[in-house]
Amino acid sequence: MKIIIFGLGNFGMSLAVNLTETGNEVIGIDNKMDKVNIVKDKISHAICMDATNEQAYKALPIKDADIAVIAIGENEGAAIIATAVVKKLSKAKIIGRSLSPIHDTVLNAMGIETIIHPEQDFADRLAKKINLKGIVDNFDIDKNYSISELTAVPDFAGKTLEELNFQEKFNLRVITILRKKQRKTILGTTNHVHQAEGFVDKNTVIEEGDILVVFGLNKDVGKFCSRR
């Protein structure tokens, strides 16, 4: 897909790089040249531009974009103006980053269907990490079910899912396993990240340090974490 991201702060920059690495053509926009320089070799195109200047959009392939992400996180007014300009000039799906309840109201009034709250979502997930020992991350499906990342206990190492009788014992279905790998960051340093090992089956062997991505009831996730 062709994706334009407006705002290359921590969130916008990380999103741009990740989308590029997963095969998308990404154009990153920011009004600060230092941020553009950091990411210019990591994504398809990086442009220094004032997103509130409608005339500047003439240099962008805005009409060809499939998705436009308004990720501006420092200036609510600029984010709203950029959203309005993109909506006027393009039929791309717009994903808006909201900075406040009023911002939510404005985006809803503009007809923006996908509104994200990175800080709030992170705070909610962090609260679950703190409250439930062993949980790495969590995505709520509804009020009862979620997809959760759970640290495998040491006793799991070297055993298959069948040997652990995992699904029957914990009432949780393992979707995939995240395993630690080395990866270079956008700043050129090396760190460790967890990458998915693909689909699992009963013969999948758990290794020390694995993270189990599971689907199930929130109460069963809580029970798994409380047994640690």
Side-chain angles (χ1 to χ4, degrees):
M1 289 189 292
K2 295 183 179 180
I3 303 169
I4 301 180
I5 298 177
F6 296 86
L8 295 174
N10 292 334
F11 170 68
M13 189 179 297
S14 296
L15 181 63
V17 172
N18 286 330
L19 287 171
T20 299
E21 291 178 347
T22 51
N24 299 283
E25 181 182 346
V26 179
I27 299 176
I29 308 291
D30 201 278
N31 63 354
K32 295 181 180 178
M33 196 64 204
D34 57 336
K35 293 182 179 179
V36 171
N37 286 333
I38 290 174
V39 78
K40 66 181 181 180
D41 296 325
K42 308 295 182 179
I43 64 177
S44 305
H45 307 282
I47 300 171
C48 186
M49 187 189 99
D50 180 3
T52 66
N53 181 2
E54 185 173 338
Q55 295 300 314
Y57 284 74
K58 293 180 179 179
L60 289 180
I62 190 70
K63 293 183 179 180
D64 298 327
D66 298 301
I67 296 175
V69 182
I70 313 301
I72 298 171
E74 299 177 353
N75 188 324
E76 190 169 300
I80 291 172
I81 293 172
T83 303
V85 175
V86 172
K87 188 172 178 63
K88 175 183 177 181
L89 300 178
S90 173
K91 293 183 178 180
K93 176 181 178 181
I94 299 176
I95 299 174
R97 176 185 185 177
S98 175
L99 304 176
S100 70
I102 293 178
H103 197 171
D104 266 356
T105 301
V106 173
L107 292 176
N108 279 315
M110 295 170 69
I112 306 303
E113 296 181 357
T114 305
I115 302 173
I116 56 176
H117 310 82
E119 291 82 2
Q120 179 182 326
D121 292 343
F122 175 78
D124 291 343
R125 292 182 179 185
L126 180 58
K128 287 186 177 180
K129 290 181 187 180
I130 293 172
N131 291 328
L132 295 175
K133 184 179 179 181
I135 195 167
V136 178
D137 210 342
N138 177 272
F139 176 77
D140 290 329
I141 302 298
D142 58 26
K143 65 179 182 179
N144 295 315
Y145 288 90
S146 65
I147 295 175
S148 302
E149 296 177 4
L150 307 175
T151 304
V153 298
D155 291 346
F156 288 1
K159 298 177 182 177
T160 66
L161 290 173
E162 183 178 38
E163 289 172 331
L164 292 170
N165 198 26
F166 190 90
Q167 185 170 336
E168 291 73 17
K169 185 175 181 179
F170 301 110
N171 199 32
L172 297 170
R173 180 183 293 274
V174 180
I175 302 172
T176 189
I177 291 173
L178 303 179
R179 195 157 284 163
K180 190 175 289 186
K181 309 284 184 181
Q182 282 191 342
R183 187 180 74 171
K184 285 190 175 181
T185 69
I186 58 177
L187 299 177
T189 58
T190 300
N191 64 3
H192 288 88
V193 297
H194 282 87
Q195 294 182 352
E197 291 294 299
F199 293 110
V200 299
D201 58 32
K202 64 180 182 180
N203 297 315
T204 299
V205 178
I206 307 299
E207 295 183 5
E208 185 177 355
D210 279 354
I211 294 174
L212 310 179
V213 182
V214 306
F215 169 78
L217 288 165
N218 293 326
K219 65 177 184 179
D220 291 322
V221 173
K223 288 179 182 178
F224 179 91
C225 293
S226 65
R227 66 181 290 278
R228 300 177 66 86

